[in-house]
Amino acid sequence: MDEIALRVNGEDRTARADAGAPLIHVLRNLLDLKATRYGCGQEQCGACMVLLDGKPTFSCTFPAAEAVGREVETAEALVSHPLREAFLELQAGQCGYCLSGILMSAKGLLDRTADPAREEIVAALDPHLCRCGAHERIIGAVALAAARLRGAAA
Ligand code: FES
Ligand code: FES
């Protein structure tokens, strides 16, 4: 077991985990951050996506030890983010299983692109599967959140 010190959602957190433990294991099972979800475990569905130094990263395969000293963001950080409001308002989702990961990729996009074109939103969400077929509302919610963020910045 190794001690793994992480910076998660602006807080310093430590856990003891096997060398090579995937980041999602540390987040969910050791740090009790349950928003990040496990789907395929093979970088195929996007349910586990988190931001690592702002970059969408599959936490199901990324070794937690390699996240030491880097900024990890999870969906818990989005409680008061315009993305959350927009997704609720447009009911962008059905079962919701895919949404934690989608929200993180969307945040990564909006952090680097204030006014994303529809094609850019689609490309950013390409790693994600939504088996409920809520794609159109999800794309609309990301665009709405972007517009609101621009309004807030104006
Ligand atoms: S659980 Fe990581 S991509 Fe599916
Ligand atoms: S809302 Fe059910 S998988 Fe996307």
Side-chain angles (χ1 to χ4, degrees):
M1 294 281 237
D2 294 335
E3 181 161 293
I4 296 179
L6 297 174
R7 181 106 182 133
V8 187
N9 300 330
E11 290 182 19
D12 292 322
R13 306 289 303 268
T14 54
R16 292 190 67 76
D18 289 336
L23 182 56
I24 192 169
H25 169 67
V26 173
L27 293 172
R28 282 188 60 88
N29 301 330
L30 304 181
L31 300 180
D32 204 28
L33 294 166
K34 305 285 193 195
T36 304
R37 298 202 171 113
Y38 187 86
C40 63
Q42 298 179 337
E43 301 188 2
Q44 297 294 308
C45 74
C48 65
M49 201 72 84
V50 299
L51 295 181
L52 198 58
D53 291 338
K55 181 170 176 265
T57 302
F58 296 108
S59 65
C60 65
T61 53
F62 194 87
E66 291 185 26
V68 171
R70 303 170 68 179
E71 289 287 337
V72 181
E73 291 175 77
T74 70
E76 277 91 351
L78 299 182
V79 170
S80 57
H81 193 282
L83 274 166
R84 184 173 178 275
E85 276 307 306
F87 271 67
L88 285 171
E89 201 170 307
L90 299 191
Q91 300 204 359
Q94 189 169 313
C95 76
Y97 200 85
C98 65
L99 292 182
S100 298
I102 284 175
L103 283 163
M104 297 322 293
S105 284
K107 180 172 189 292
L109 172 67
L110 299 189
D111 284 350
R112 62 181 185 274
T113 311
D115 190 7
R118 177 186 168 86
E119 298 71 35
E120 290 175 290
I121 297 173
V122 170
L125 301 186
D126 189 54
H128 297 273
L129 297 180
C130 172
R131 69 179 188 174
C132 296
H135 304 83
E136 279 305 317
R137 281 173 288 152
I138 288 169
I139 293 165
V142 176
L144 176 60
R148 287 186 174 157
L149 280 165
R150 289 196 303 279

